Amino acid sequence: MKILNDLPSAIRKEVVKRFLYGLGAVLFFIVILLTSKDFLLCIPCCLISLFSFFLSGIMIYNYKKGKVISIIGICTVIERKKIRKTITSILLDVDGKAVKIQIKGRKARINEGDTVQVYLLESSKVYNYENKFVISDYYALEVQDVVI
């Protein structure tokens, strides 16, 4: 697994997660095929597994070709949902500039003052809104030594 060892830990975790989703879909494909013996019921599982394997391969390819950049900044503000208190976005101070990162649907353990590293494609859309750069699409997010 030399390919995975070259990747940063945050990207490696995302690649492995997508690959495991694909393996789970393959196993589900086999179970459905053995129990129902109807190939048409198995097609969605097959498509999901191919898509997951393709996404993990694309992530590795983009990193190897140098299309992935990383932004390192200090978390200054955390925005949360009002009721469930889950994190919706964070504001990073990157070289004196404010960068707002929209957190994907996961339970992130980020505190104000943490150093956050965000991996994203060079071609990712970055918007300027209220004197802040806003990023909503990224590959992985890493807080110091803890990978989210």
Side-chain angles (χ1 to χ4, degrees):
M1 288 297 169
K2 185 181 178 217
I3 295 172
L4 290 179
N5 290 337
D6 295 341
L7 300 174
S9 62
I11 294 180
R12 184 181 324 125
K13 181 182 175 188
E14 291 296 320
V15 167
V16 168
K17 184 170 64 171
R18 284 178 171 83
F19 189 78
L20 289 176
Y21 287 157
L23 284 180
V26 167
L27 290 174
F28 201 56
F29 166 80
I30 292 170
V31 168
I32 290 175
L33 188 62
L34 291 176
T35 56
S36 70
K37 296 186 176 45
D38 186 11
F39 187 72
L40 289 176
L41 289 175
C42 302
I43 291 176
C45 292
C46 188
L47 292 175
I48 289 171
S49 65
L50 289 175
F51 185 69
S52 296
F53 294 146
F54 178 74
L55 284 180
S56 62
I58 288 293
M59 285 182 80
I60 293 171
Y61 173 79
N62 284 335
Y63 184 78
K64 294 293 183 184
K65 290 295 182 181
K67 296 180 181 180
V68 176
I69 59 174
S70 69
I71 298 173
I72 300 173
I74 297 173
C75 179
T76 55
V77 177
I78 298 174
E79 295 179 9
R80 299 179 185 269
K81 291 182 181 177
K82 293 184 180 186
I83 296 175
R84 299 185 81 193
K85 302 295 183 198
T86 55
I87 297 174
T88 57
S89 64
I90 59 173
L91 190 66
L92 299 179
D93 180 28
V94 180
D95 296 331
K97 296 185 173 43
V99 178
K100 184 176 183 179
I101 308 289
Q102 302 289 334
I103 301 295
K104 294 179 183 177
R106 62 178 67 131
K107 295 181 173 122
R109 291 180 211 96
I110 303 172
N111 298 316
E112 290 182 8
D114 286 347
T115 302
V116 178
Q117 185 168 8
V118 181
Y119 296 94
L120 58 137
L121 283 173
E122 287 178 340
S123 60
S124 293
K125 304 280 188 209
V126 179
Y127 301 101
N128 191 356
Y129 179 72
E130 296 178 353
N131 295 327
K132 298 176 206 165
F133 295 104
V134 179
I135 299 171
S136 60
D137 186 34
Y138 57 90
Y139 267 171
L141 185 111
E142 189 172 32
V143 178
Q144 294 175 353
D145 294 337
V146 180
V147 177
I148 297 176

